[in-house]
Amino acid sequence: MTRVAAIDCGTNSIRLLIADVDGNGSSSTLTDVVREMRVVRLGQGVDATGELAQEALDRTFAATSDYAGLIREHGAGKVRFVATSATRDARNRKVFVDGIREILGVEPEVITGDEEAALSFAGASSVLPSRGAAPVLVVDLGGGSTEFVLGDASGVIAAKSVDVGCVRMTERHLRNDPPSAEQIAAAEADVDAAISEAGLAVPLDRTTAVVGVAGSVTTITAHALRLPEYSPGIIHGTELPLGTFGEACTDLLEMSKADRAGLPYMHPGRVDVIGAGGLVWRRVLERLAEVTEGRITSAVASEHDILDGIALSIS
């Protein structure tokens, strides 16, 4: 058994998983020791400026320093730090890379969209029942990008990362509170184009089951269930009809920020972007129903995602 530390630094949040890994390769299992999440909004303004803002870097470095202390405290022998969409897009990512290296003592990896997709699938599929040869689509809905990964028991069949996410769509289109019909239509056009782009690389019509991962999807699930608080144990593995997800997405999209902030399962760092997350998830599910000619009627939410994939990759 090996104790590892995985850090996933995305556009909206930075997350830490310290876990004990038992086994090797695809047969490995994870036992959580520490699982933490901080909303640092590293991707603040990146879509417009092409650079990481200094205040966003400062927030991310502060969270990483806290994580470094937890890693030392719990004796993780191996550490992997992975950065995704916002850092990929930033001209000044060297400042970020140098800062993380100094704080953590390891080289942060700015991974490609395809690598992100593969890690997301590994994390999600590690906790799903085996479906053998039946292809499962994992959709990782992040802050700056969304990954579509089709795979089966043998691994990834095809994957594509596209530049639509809850932070990017909020900053680009959904500026009003709540957003206007024109803003929603413009965001949907971007999302539809991105799904079409993904469909050129990933045979979406082969999908037999859909798993949604990351904070937007799990928060939408909590809203659909009207939970009294955010409860990963209840959310993880929940399967809901597409219509139920769609209603929850529309509700969050049309709410004011003040109303969202009052929801007992809403993280403060998601209040301003969850509407865009709902828009993306709703349109993805609608398109999947279309391309599979109604075969897909439900979707599953998973609390296990790229962070678990990173941890499994270390061993």
Side-chain angles (χ1 to χ4, degrees):
M1 188 174 292
T2 305
R3 179 159 293 183
V4 302
I7 299 176
D8 165 40
C9 186
T11 300
N12 197 43
S13 64
I14 182 169
R15 300 179 301 150
L16 167 70
L17 172 61
I18 300 174
D20 291 327
V21 183
D22 191 7
N24 291 294
S26 60
S27 62
S28 297
T29 58
L30 295 175
T31 302
D32 287 13
V33 178
V34 172
R35 194 179 283 262
E36 293 246 343
M37 187 272 285
R38 309 274 179 89
V39 173
V40 294
R41 194 64 58 83
L42 177 62
Q44 173 191 329
V46 168
D47 188 61
T49 68
E51 293 195 345
L52 300 167
Q54 186 58 53
E55 57 266 36
L57 287 166
D58 291 343
R59 292 191 297 266
T60 305
F61 291 157
T64 303
S65 294
D66 290 344
Y67 287 175
L70 287 169
I71 291 167
R72 288 192 297 271
E73 177 185 344
H74 292 280
K78 297 180 180 180
V79 181
R80 187 179 183 189
F81 185 111
V82 164
T84 55
S85 179
T87 316
R88 280 198 299 268
D89 296 345
R91 288 189 297 268
N92 62 338
R93 60 180 170 270
K94 186 177 185 301
V95 178
F96 169 82
V97 169
D98 290 346
I100 296 298
R101 185 193 306 114
E102 182 177 348
I103 294 166
L104 206 57
V106 301
E107 189 72 18
E109 302 170 51
V110 182
I111 62 172
T112 67
D114 287 345
E115 290 174 308
E116 184 176 358
L119 287 170
S120 295
F121 185 80
S125 62
S126 70
V127 293
L128 295 174
S130 174
R131 295 179 59 87
V136 174
L137 182 72
V138 172
V139 181
D140 185 347
L141 201 173
S145 65
T146 296
E147 283 67 51
F148 294 79
V149 197
L150 190 72
D152 56 23
S154 63
V156 174
I157 296 169
K160 180 67 177 178
S161 177
V162 292
D163 285 339
V164 293
C166 61
V167 174
R168 195 184 296 269
M169 291 298 97
T170 299
E171 291 185 350
R172 187 181 295 177
H173 297 295
L174 306 184
R175 299 186 180 93
N176 288 9
D177 179 23
S180 67
E182 293 77 14
Q183 291 170 347
I184 290 171
E188 285 184 331
D190 267 9
V191 173
D192 282 352
I195 297 170
S196 296
E197 180 187 351
L200 296 175
V202 182
L204 300 176
D205 59 337
R206 292 180 57 191
T207 302
T208 63
V210 185
V211 181
V213 302
S216 284
V217 173
T218 58
T219 301
I220 292 163
T221 306
H223 186 62
L225 296 173
R226 296 300 194 273
L227 296 181
E229 61 183 4
Y230 190 91
S231 176
I234 295 174
I235 294 166
H236 181 60
T238 289
E239 183 172 4
L240 295 173
L242 299 190
T244 302
F245 269 126
E247 289 169 5
C249 290
T250 299
D251 197 29
L252 289 168
L253 176 60
E254 295 178 351
M255 273 186 181
S256 68
K257 292 177 186 176
D259 287 341
R260 294 176 194 158
L263 298 172
Y265 37 79
M266 183 66 62
H267 190 285
R270 298 200 188 281
V271 168
D272 60 332
V273 296
I274 191 60
L279 184 149
V280 175
W281 186 227
R282 181 181 72 183
R283 197 61 194 118
V284 166
L285 295 179
E286 288 171 349
R287 287 287 296 274
L288 285 172
E290 292 168 10
V291 300
T292 62
E293 298 181 337
R295 187 175 64 251
I296 295 299
T297 60
S298 64
V300 178
S302 173
E303 286 280 347
H304 295 251
D305 52 25
I306 185 174
L307 188 60
D308 302 76
I310 296 167
L312 288 167
S313 73
I314 300 172
S315 60

